[in-house]
């Protein structure tokens, strides 16, 4: 399967509806995947789902049956603890069989708690230690630019993750090199592990910080597919681009939304049933 962009008319109703249907299915897959493993990061998986769905089913060029295709867009999930969301999206995109999601976090599985490029073709970078994805993405984008390739690099970051200084070294260099083929998307759910970002080490005003590093910065609703696609799909601007995507940690399930303890809490059997009920009727 290739990226689905262009399959539906750009920004038309059907296309947006299709993306929200896919996102609902992905969230159900995440619940089932984490239930089977009894481990995972459900809050951050749900906040980032619509961003990942937009990229994989609306924007990026790739061939899931030919994951090393030279001209593919590069994708890095820097907040690698949300691998259950990435694997659910990759299964739906055809990188591996849907039933293999049941192997999530089993001993020696190719679907480890954090993405591993040596275990799953299509993963571009091993992530999990926060603060590594953007520097690697800068390397990918620099390489593509030097090789005069048209492929783009997309990096998804957590907002808590931005407290790692390595991000700002990478941002500074990307601005300096005018890496217009690089896009960072910040999953701005305002929670990190155990606390709010603004109580821990405040990030606001976040778009201004990126602009001062030479980036074009956009702030939008990270659960609105139309807003996401419009910015993600816009032509190159001569600068790297960042989307501050305002999201809700746990989006889609009432008792998980915006609750800090759900960073990596695992639902009970009854909570699973309730979660799937809510996601099915959303
Ligand atoms: C360098 C490093 N320090 C600490 C951790 C442990 N850790 C995993 S997730 C997380 C919170 C990250 O918060 P955020 O980036 O906002 O992710 P989200 O809320 O979207 O899940 C922490 C501290 C880590 N993975 N890497």
């Amino acid at each position: 399967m290739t990226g689905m962009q262009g399959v539906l008319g750009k920004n038309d109703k059907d296309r947006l509806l299709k993306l929200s249907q896919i996102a609902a299915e992905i969230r159900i897959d995440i619940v089932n995947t984490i239930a089977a493993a009894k481990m995972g990061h459900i809050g951050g998986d749900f906040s980032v789902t619509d961003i990942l769905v937009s990229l994989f089913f609306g924007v990026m060029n790739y061939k899931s049956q030919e994951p090393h295709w030279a001209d593919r867009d590069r994708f890095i999930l820097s907040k690698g603890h949300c691998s259950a969301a990435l694997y659910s999206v990759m299964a739906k995109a055809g990188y591996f069989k849907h039933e293999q999601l049941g192997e999530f976090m089993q001993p020696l599985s190719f679907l480890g708690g954090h993405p591993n490029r040596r275990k799953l073709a299509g993963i571009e970078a091993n992530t999990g230690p926060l603060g590594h994805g953007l520097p690697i993405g800068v390397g990918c984008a620099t390489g593509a630019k030097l090789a005069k390739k048209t492929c783009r690099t997309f990096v998804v970051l957590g907002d808590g993750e931005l407290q790692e200084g390595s991000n700002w070294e990478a941002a500074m260099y990307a601005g300096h090199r005018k890496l217009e083929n690089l896009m960072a998307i910040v999953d701005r759910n305002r929670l990190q592990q155990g606390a709010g970002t603004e109580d821990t080490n405040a990030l606001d005003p976040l778009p201004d910080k990126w602009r001062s590093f030479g980036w074009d910065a956009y702030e939008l609703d990270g659960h609105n597919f139309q807003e996401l696609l419009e910015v993600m799909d816009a032509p190159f601007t001569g600068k790297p681009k960042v989307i501050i995507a305002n999201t809700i940690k746990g989006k889609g399930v009432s008792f998980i939304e915006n609750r800090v303890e759900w960073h990596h809490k695992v639902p009970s059997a009854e909570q699973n049933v309730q979660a799937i009920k809510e996601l099915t009727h959303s």
Side-chain angles (χ1 to χ4, degrees), residues 41 43-45 47-48 79 81-82 114 128-132 157-162 164 187 189-194 197 249 263:
H41 290 83
D45 286 332
S47 64
V48 84
K79 45 171 263 176
H81 55 285
C82 292
H114 299 107
L130 300 168
H132 290 196
L157 298 151
D159 50 0
E161 179 178 16
L162 286 182
E164 298 288 338
D187 180 10
N189 58 35
R190 294 186 170 263
L191 291 176
Q192 53 189 76
Q193 186 175 338
T197 55
K249 200 157 173 172
H263 178 71

Side-chain angles (χ1 to χ4, degrees), residues 31-105:
V31 173
N32 289 330
T33 299
I34 288 179
K38 298 190 173 57
M39 281 180 277
H41 290 83
I42 198 161
D45 286 332
F46 281 179
S47 64
V48 84
T49 295
D50 298 327
I51 295 167
L52 297 185
V53 167
S54 301
L55 286 170
F56 277 82
F57 300 104
V59 174
M60 289 199 306
N61 293 308
Y62 60 89
K63 298 179 184 180
S64 55
Q65 296 302 306
E66 200 188 323
H68 298 297
W69 176 46
D71 291 330
R72 69 193 182 280
D73 290 330
R74 269 52 172 186
F75 174 76
I76 298 171
L77 180 67
S78 193
K79 45 171 263 176
H81 55 285
C82 292
S83 56
L86 177 61
Y87 298 150
S88 300
V89 165
M90 289 180 76
K92 192 167 280 298
Y95 283 89
F96 58 90
K97 291 199 186 81
H98 184 265
E99 60 264 30
Q100 290 176 292
L101 284 172
E103 293 183 38
F104 177 62
M105 289 188 83

Side-chain angles (χ1 to χ4, degrees), residues 3-10 15 57-59 233:
M4 279 174 56
Q5 69 292 332
V7 171
L8 302 161
K10 186 167 162 32
R15 188 182 190 213
F57 300 104
V59 174
D233 246 356

Side-chain angles (χ1 to χ4, degrees), residues 43 47 188-191 247-263:
S47 64
R188 184 73 168 117
N189 58 35
R190 294 186 170 263
L191 291 176
T247 58
I248 295 171
K249 200 157 173 172
K251 168 75 179 171
V253 177
S254 57
F255 59 89
I256 302 181
E257 283 190 359
N258 272 325
R259 303 282 291 271
V260 74
E261 66 271 26
W262 282 97
H263 178 71

